[in-house]
Amino acid sequence: MGISQNSKSQREQQGQLPYRFCVIMSDEDILDCIFNPSLAGFGAQQQRLTAPVPIPGFDDSTKQRYAEFQAQSICAGESGDTDKALQLINEAIQLCSQHPAGYNNRATIYQMRKERDLALDDLNQAITLGESYNDHNTLKQAYLQRGMLFKIKGDDDLARADFEKAASFGSKFAKDQAIQLNPYAALCNQALEKAMCELQKPS
């Protein structure tokens, strides 16, 4: 049954989406609806991002010094000097202990040093502070990092929950990880592989 032009225009006048946008979904969107209802829609559901809350004492002068410590820490870490990287990021955190990014970055260093329990503690702190100050970028990175930690530990349910949170802040990689950990998607892959094998058998 067709949809009349009058019906379409009435929908648009009422502030609803034009009909063509209500019915067209990509293959990826359809699979998301089936296997990942928490991530379904036009790509991953995005958080309704609220404005960042100012961090007390984080003025322009402090912000510049904080950024310098973080940049130097990253350079040290990339060169393999994790002791120096840790020292510098500690100075950044001491300068502004309420900023969540420092804890997320220190967690990265702890992971490089295989000190995963310390990394987990810092990621928990980064997420707590990130939620307090609406630091969406840090939340995306911290949830992704913590999800990877849980995955390494074999805690797939916790890992998937964190990947879904990171995906809601815009991480495509986290969305892919969440899909891989979905048991329904795994069953579907097994069924597809079995069907392909049957098709390839000589008749």
Side-chain angles (χ1 to χ4, degrees), residues 1-202:
M1 180 182 295
I3 303 296
S4 70
Q5 292 296 327
N6 288 339
S7 174
K8 292 181 188 179
S9 62
Q10 286 174 1
R11 289 170 60 87
E12 295 185 19
Q13 288 171 5
Q14 293 170 0
Q16 299 180 27
L17 283 173
Y19 180 74
R20 62 186 178 276
F21 291 122
C22 294
V23 298
I24 298 174
M25 293 182 73
S26 69
D27 292 343
E28 180 182 359
D29 294 326
I30 293 169
L31 289 174
D32 275 347
C33 287
I34 298 171
F35 297 118
N36 294 283
S38 60
L39 295 177
F42 296 98
Q45 285 183 343
Q46 296 291 303
Q47 290 276 1
R48 291 176 178 259
L49 301 183
T50 51
V53 176
I55 298 173
F58 199 58
D59 55 26
D60 289 342
S61 175
T62 303
K63 189 180 299 185
Q64 181 176 348
R65 292 172 60 203
Y66 189 87
E68 289 172 355
F69 281 132
Q70 291 219 86
Q72 293 169 14
S73 176
I74 291 170
C75 287
E78 289 178 343
S79 69
D81 190 349
T82 59
D83 289 337
K84 183 67 173 178
L86 189 58
Q87 174 194 334
L88 288 163
I89 200 63
N90 282 338
E91 292 189 49
I93 291 172
Q94 186 175 5
L95 186 64
C96 186
S97 62
Q98 290 298 298
H99 201 300
Y103 298 97
N104 178 70
N105 292 338
R106 189 168 68 180
T108 302
I109 299 168
Y110 282 139
Q111 292 216 58
M112 292 171 67
R113 295 161 65 96
K114 309 299 183 186
E115 296 176 288
R116 296 195 174 106
D117 289 339
L118 292 174
L120 183 58
D121 289 342
D122 269 358
L123 291 170
N124 291 338
Q125 182 71 351
I127 290 169
T128 297
L129 291 173
E131 290 174 343
S132 296
Y133 296 111
N134 297 333
D135 187 335
H136 311 127
N137 188 56
T138 297
L139 285 170
K140 177 174 67 177
Q141 296 177 24
Y143 275 119
L144 176 57
Q145 271 213 81
R146 197 173 71 175
M148 294 302 296
L149 264 180
F150 285 142
K151 186 176 180 180
I152 291 170
K153 290 173 176 285
D155 295 329
D156 285 356
D157 289 340
L158 292 176
R160 184 182 171 202
D162 274 0
F163 288 143
E164 289 181 356
K165 289 290 289 184
S168 75
F169 286 106
S171 173
K172 175 66 166 62
F173 178 77
K175 181 185 175 185
D176 292 341
Q177 290 294 311
I179 291 172
Q180 289 178 24
L181 290 175
N182 188 315
Y184 296 106
L187 287 173
C188 179
N189 287 336
Q190 292 174 12
L192 287 173
E193 288 178 5
K194 184 177 180 180
M196 291 299 295
C197 289
E198 291 294 328
L199 288 172
Q200 291 171 2
K201 289 180 179 179

